[in-house]
Amino acid sequence: MPIICANELCKTFPTPDGTLKNAVDKISLRIERGTIYGLLGPNGAGKTTTLRMLSGLVKPTSGEAIINGNNVADDPFAVKHDIGFLTANTGLYQRLSPRETLYYFARLYALPREQIERRVEHLIDWLDMHTFADLRCGALSTGQKQRTSIARALVGDPVVLIMDEPTLGLDVLSNRIILDFIRREHDEGKTIILSTHYLDEAESLCDRFGLMHEGQLMAEGTLAELQADTGEHKLSSIFLKLFSDVRGEDENGRL
Amino acid sequence: MNRRILTIYTKELTELLRDRRTLIAMIVVPIALYPLLIIGSVHLLSVRGGEFKVQQMTIGVQHDPNQPDDHQPAITDLQRKLQTARNIIRENRIGDPDDVVSNGLESIERMNIVAVDDITHAVEAGICNVGVIIDREANQEGESSQHIVTLKYDKAEMRSEGAAFRLRRVFEILSRNVTERILTGERLPLWILDPIRVNTENVATPQKVGGMVLGTIVPLVLVLMTITGAIYPAIDLTAGERERGTLETLIVCPVPPVDLITGKYLVVATVALLGAALNLISMGATLHFGGFTEMIGSNGDTELPLAVLPIILIILVPFAMFFSAIMVAVCSYARTFKEAQNYIMPVILAALIPAGIAALPGTEIKGVNAYVPVMNVVLLAREMLLGHFEWLTIAQVMFSTCVYAGAAVIVASKVFSTEAAIFADSASLKASFTRRLMRPAEFPSATLVLITTAVLFPAWMFIQFSIQPAKGESVLTTFQTAAWLMPLALVAIPAMLLWYFRVNCIGAMKLRLPRPRHLLAATFIGLGGWVLAHELFVLQHAISPVPPEVLSSNALLTQAFEGRSLWLPILLIAIVPAVCEELFFRGFILSGLQETMKKWPAIIIVACVFAVFHIVLIKFLLTAGLGVLLGLLCWQSRSIVPSIIAHMLNNGVVVLLAFWPTLEEFVGVGEVGATDHLPTHIIAIGAALVVAGVFTATAGTQSTGGVEARIHA
């Protein structure tokens, strides 16, 4: 059984003008253990809402999500133990240091006492955080904050890592550290689902791709499958082709 | 305490204490600013007081156009009179010569006299503070006659009123002097002037007087300071966390929302209490070292009971817990810091109303007052400062405040974990109230039931009080109006809410047919219930006697329906209330609780709510007892019909016994008063019926209830 299973997830929001908008429209996903899955799409395609539904932050209007055998709606507690969630905005406690933040979240995950210290110090090592681990988070740079956030998401040693725009707005160096880290986690057997709109980055990192547009999954598969389907070589060209196909259909439909 | 809550508590407190703003609000304000404020305001008062006694005042008299300006007769006349008054004071030491404001020499020395054309106008325009017109009443005998002195002043001006007061004292001295001269001339004793002299003597201990002085202001200040201390952390830990985007990371952790909010709430309560303690210490120190004890107690009859202050801190514990919970709940709704501040203001204003009423002299901690939040704490603190310690009252205040605090924490955790509150976009907040987006449900949520009950309860109280018969009016009208309003308030409103939130009305109100067994049980309980209720009431009367006016209300009832068909009381007292109340209490409320609660707690809570809704708290035990039986019937049968039937039969039997003498005679309870035991055979039959009813209802379905209901849901 796939470690992440989404069955026709839908999320409907009312818009200010009183109509309803399907932010996510019947998304179904099957992600096998040990995959890096890239959820791609332009802004507003529904990537964040999908990830939030997978992690149990948002209740789906209909449909269900099952992670590591637990239904998100029925057993949110078990699901939250299994996932690490990295939000798009680097929300950190300004008045705590990265080390304190990590200890705090490790305790919230109810890790055994001796394991907490080991885990936190490992993460600080891996993400090269020694230089700033004891400064207040409020004083950190964007890259340092993002590394702290990633460490925070991983502190509970989750089997599934859900990352919303992990490299948004980072400099080359931080970007490199984070991408290396994602690969390393992957090598350790973790399943990772990440959303991004940097297609080149995704192409080099992910095993499978889901291309989202206006709440729907336009196409899904490995790079080779997508290349075969569209006849394009690069992921960005594949995306543009699919995108123009959808719009074309729309216009034909209207005609 | 749960380890997770402790983790959250420690972290939030650390973070909060690292914030300069908290430290300033919590420590610097009470320690430094607060004594400065008190000392400053007292200083200002004494300066103003001093200013007042040496204040120059101008007296206006009528200008005489026929005389030169420097020889105005009115001025000379008044100057002479003032001079006389001065001499009298100096020689005779009338009254208290130190009382410079009203009759002292200093006061007179600072009176200027001017002549004006129009006295009224001059006073109005502020040219003079007070105007004087002296007339001599026409008298045939000539010489000695009464003087009429008219003082014109402007009541809207403090200076003018003060001037008139000072001048009035001067004329009183002159007047008394004249009387004394006449009496002496006629060889009459001077005591004739005061045939009865009244002396007052204070019997209160100095501590008590001091307690009163403190009691009027200290509790109010403490309540305000506790609230103020809680504001910043409450906002920072909820709306602030949301605004900074850290809430999402917290919610995604495997931590139950109740733990999260409890940890945060405890931090807010701690800070509020620390603030209150610091305020108290600072206030006590200011009063003690600031020389206030000497100042207030200058004449030896006042002593500030500062030793009580630590005890007041203990009362502030439940209060701080209560208010922190309210604030956390309110702030949990807010998406930004600013929004939270906007929400908090009305809450503080609302809290100030009962606190203000409590601070009014004459408000006593009696009856309902002991249960009114905020008010009870202020009143209790005042009682303690006065040296009154009534343990029952203290227990009432502590208990009710703890209950409110608990309810507020539950609401706060519900609010905090809803997804609309997690994400700071208005669309999803709106979504949680958009009907089309709601999932149909079989039972209402506990939150919906809780909030509906909380709103309907005061509304229903208000209705009940407003339809109470006026003097001379018949109770019949009350019953008729209630019979109209009850279906609206207790059935229509919940039904509309159920419809709106897409809850299956049939399921929630349990509108399904019961098994015959449960109908039988309902009949047993309905016929025997009144015996149990009557005996419960008698038992209660034996423990704490019921006031006679409650007992005589039954006679009033019989009177009201005099000469009417028997069907009218049956309809108004038995049928309508049975249907409406069951649909609301056993239908709506019990459905909301049964998903999250176990059988007995749910039934007992609903029975208590049921009893509280019946205003007459004296009958609480009786009503709650019946409520438990009805709840049990409903829970076992999963249908509303048996409890309606039992309720109807129970009320019906009581009505028939009251209005149908034949039945009363037949049963043999004609002579039994409201507080007498029923005949033994009736008790036996009643008890047998109730036991049979409970047995019939529960037999064979031992482990049903919650689990089954949940599967059903």
Side-chain angles (χ1 to χ4, degrees), chain B residues 317-567:
Chain B
V317 174
F319 176 76
M321 307 216 63
F322 164 60
F323 236 90
S324 307
I326 298 250
M327 292 217 181
V328 169
V330 170
C331 294
S332 299
Y333 264 110
R335 282 163 285 154
T336 61
F337 218 95
K338 254 187 191 160
E339 203 181 319
Q341 282 171 328
N342 287 341
Y343 289 168
I344 283 268
M345 272 325 285
V347 174
I348 294 174
L349 288 179
L352 283 183
I353 296 169
I357 296 172
L360 290 179
T363 315
E364 281 182 57
I365 187 153
K366 260 188 195 161
V368 190
N369 285 0
Y371 298 101
V372 178
V374 188
M375 192 197 239
N376 55 5
V377 174
V378 174
L379 287 174
L380 185 60
R382 189 165 77 188
E383 287 295 301
M384 289 187 159
L385 283 166
L386 286 175
H388 302 160
F389 289 86
E390 277 185 47
W391 295 107
L392 182 68
T393 319
I394 294 173
Q396 279 174 325
V397 172
M398 289 292 217
F399 174 74
S400 60
T401 311
C402 288
V403 169
Y404 297 139
V409 175
I410 292 172
V411 172
S413 69
K414 293 273 179 212
V415 171
F416 205 62
S417 60
T418 54
E419 110 194 18
I422 299 171
F423 298 108
D425 56 306
S426 60
S428 53
L429 187 67
K430 205 171 152 193
S432 51
F433 289 99
T434 306
R435 186 164 187 270
R436 283 172 294 175
L437 297 180
M438 287 169 197
R439 285 188 165 189
E442 193 67 22
F443 293 110
S445 67
T447 319
L448 176 65
V449 167
L450 199 74
I451 293 172
T452 313
T453 314
V455 173
L456 268 182
F457 174 63
W460 185 241
M461 284 297 99
F462 184 71
I463 292 174
Q464 295 261 306
F465 281 118
S466 67
I467 62 174
Q468 286 299 311
K471 229 181 170 76
E473 226 175 14
S474 162
V475 197
L476 185 59
T477 334
T478 305
F479 274 100
Q480 279 167 332
T481 326
W484 278 109
L485 291 174
M486 205 180 255
L488 183 77
L490 299 189
V491 182
I493 291 176
M496 268 154 57
L497 285 170
L498 289 175
W499 170 82
Y500 186 83
F501 287 95
R502 300 187 78 167
V503 182
N504 178 4
C505 241
I506 308 279
M509 298 278 200
K510 304 194 182 68
L511 300 172
R512 48 177 99 79
L513 284 177
R515 293 189 203 163
R517 186 160 60 87
H518 293 123
L519 288 178
L520 187 67
T523 316
F524 285 152
I525 289 176
L527 290 176
W530 67 277
V531 177
L532 178 92
H534 182 97
E535 288 304 313
L536 273 177
F537 190 66
V538 174
L539 185 76
Q540 185 195 341
H541 181 72
I543 296 164
S544 87
V546 176
E549 60 267 25
V550 176
L551 298 178
S552 64
S553 68
N554 278 355
L556 260 151
L557 188 68
T558 343
Q559 242 171 33
F561 287 98
E562 197 110 77
R564 303 283 181 144
S565 151
L566 191 58
W567 287 109

Side-chain angles (χ1 to χ4, degrees), chain B residues 218-283:
Chain B
V218 170
L220 198 61
V221 171
L222 279 179
V223 161
L224 272 180
M225 282 304 185
T226 313
I227 297 174
T228 319
I231 293 179
Y232 179 75
I235 298 179
D236 193 60
L237 265 51
T238 54
E241 172 129 45
R242 185 166 302 139
E243 195 172 5
R244 291 188 293 270
T246 47
L247 184 59
E248 205 174 330
T249 60
L250 201 52
I251 296 283
V252 85
C253 288
V255 182
V258 181
D259 286 9
L260 267 183
I261 206 76
T262 311
K264 283 169 175 289
Y265 154 70
L266 288 175
V267 171
V268 177
T270 307
V271 172
L273 262 178
L274 269 175
L278 279 172
N279 272 287
L280 206 61
I281 293 167
S282 172
M283 185 188 287

